[in-house]
Amino acid sequence: MSHAWRPVFVVLAVVAAIVVMRVILVPSDFTAKDGDYKYQWHRLSAEQVSKDFTVKHRGRDFCGQCHPNHIEKMKDSGHQNIQCENCHVMYEPAKKSHPINLKEDFGYLLNIGIDRSRELCKRCHAELSYRPKTYTSSKGTEKFKQIDPTKHNPGIECAMCHDVHSAGFKTAAK
Ligand code: HEC
Ligand code: HEC
Ligand code: HEC
Ligand code: HEC
């Protein structure tokens, strides 16, 4: 047999190996759903995996069941679109201070507490060269109020002066 056939056998062996590996590696339910060969190639059982995923953040309606006043206070404020969990979820369990155990009765998995640090507010309000100075709301273009934390009352917690929920100021009557 001519030595010229040898590379042909190598190529055939590689193709056979690829076909065998594909059968072994690709899950049996990997198909083009509804015959949509352009976008719908996926493992069908992955849909159930996503549905079974436990959602941890529940949004303000969940907190509002027991904290209606806070919902009311934030309603027309600059903070109206910010979820309670954005400020109150504590990623260090040691900082948890919620008096009611939300895990037992509600299956709620996050730790709720209070963070009074300047860092919390700087996350959104510190002036940064790449942070947009305006934003678009239902009323049109509005100014996104930012401060230079090195000049704006340094060393004092923001919550000493500002009412964090109404995004205004604390008053003597409070
Ligand atoms: C089943 C009712 C219930 C739910 C649901 C609930 N809370 Fe509370 N929460 C309470 C009660 C009662 C207190 C104690 C009285 C108070 O401060 O209003 C409290 C206190 C707090 C405090 C003060 C903690 C402290 O250290 O003084 C924060 C902050 C808080 N809740 C945030 C939340 C957030 C955010 C959610 C939604 C993720 C939430 N709560 C959901 C009942 C609830
Ligand atoms: C922008 C961040 C932020 C958001 C959004 C926010 N909180 Fe707070 N919250 C704080 C801070 C900071 C304090 C501590 C305030 C202080 O010491 O004056 C606090 C205090 C509290 C307290 C203790 C009692 C009080 O009023 O001081 C409760 C209860 C509470 N928040 C519930 C909520 C709920 C419910 C929501 C959503 C409807 C919410 N918060 C949204 C930052 C936030
Ligand atoms: C997740 C982002 C976010 C966080 C965190 C946040 N804010 Fe805001 N804040 C906003 C947005 C958005 C507005 C509305 C746009 C504006 O008025 O600049 C706003 C508005 C304000 C205003 C201006 C209200 C007015 O009408 O002049 C104050 C004051 C304020 N926030 C204080 C705070 C303080 C204090 C904290 C920390 C407890 C805080 N914010 C945390 C996003 C945030
Ligand atoms: C000692 C009290 C005090 C402290 C502490 C304080 N502020 Fe203020 N803040 C004010 C006063 C007074 C104004 C209004 C006058 C001004 O713009 O300086 C204001 C205005 C603002 C505004 C609106 C600026 C604008 O363009 O209209 C924002 C946003 C703000 N503060 C965020 C913060 C944040 C975030 C912190 C913490 C990092 C903080 N403040 C700490 C007193 C305080």
Side-chain angles (χ1 to χ4, degrees):
M1 193 170 53
S2 159
H3 66 275
W5 283 102
R6 283 186 204 157
V8 175
F9 290 133
V10 171
V11 169
L12 287 177
V14 168
V15 170
I18 290 173
V19 170
V20 170
M21 288 312 280
R22 188 186 187 282
V23 170
I24 296 171
L25 292 178
V26 175
S28 56
D29 59 344
F30 182 81
T31 45
K33 196 181 175 185
D34 302 331
D36 179 352
Y37 291 95
K38 200 169 178 189
Y39 298 117
Q40 286 291 344
W41 278 107
H42 66 287
R43 183 166 60 84
L44 295 184
S45 54
E47 292 177 13
Q48 196 55 43
V49 172
S50 302
K51 282 180 192 156
D52 292 343
F53 186 82
T54 318
V55 176
K56 291 198 181 126
H57 290 84
R58 300 268 182 92
R60 66 161 64 79
D61 290 347
F62 172 68
C63 315
Q65 301 171 70
C66 305
H67 295 287
N69 328 343
H70 287 80
I71 301 273
E72 185 59 28
K73 226 175 157 190
M74 287 178 66
K75 207 174 64 189
D76 298 316
S77 78
H79 284 168
Q80 58 183 286
N81 292 326
I82 300 173
Q83 297 291 344
C84 320
E85 288 162 315
N86 199 321
C87 296
H88 285 295
V89 170
M90 302 290 124
Y91 289 96
E92 290 168 51
K95 290 190 180 163
K96 177 179 175 173
S97 63
H98 201 265
I100 300 235
N101 187 341
L102 299 174
K103 193 172 179 206
E104 256 162 44
D105 296 341
F106 299 88
Y108 189 72
L109 298 173
L110 300 169
N111 298 312
I112 296 296
I114 295 183
D115 176 2
R116 290 191 177 82
S117 74
R118 286 170 68 90
E119 306 309 316
L120 174 78
C121 317
K122 277 160 65 180
R123 203 151 47 83
C124 297
H125 287 290
E127 273 170 13
L128 299 167
S129 53
Y130 48 83
R131 176 163 272 166
K133 300 277 179 261
T134 57
Y135 69 104
T136 312
S137 79
S138 53
K139 292 178 216 145
T141 303
E142 296 191 57
K143 188 174 169 231
F144 185 6
K145 295 179 184 120
Q146 291 158 38
I147 48 107
D148 175 350
T150 61
K151 299 201 180 96
H152 189 77
N153 309 299
I156 310 172
E157 285 167 358
C158 320
M160 288 291 285
C161 306
H162 291 285
D163 183 311
V164 296
H165 299 111
S166 66
F169 294 99
K170 281 193 167 161
T171 51
K174 193 179 178 263

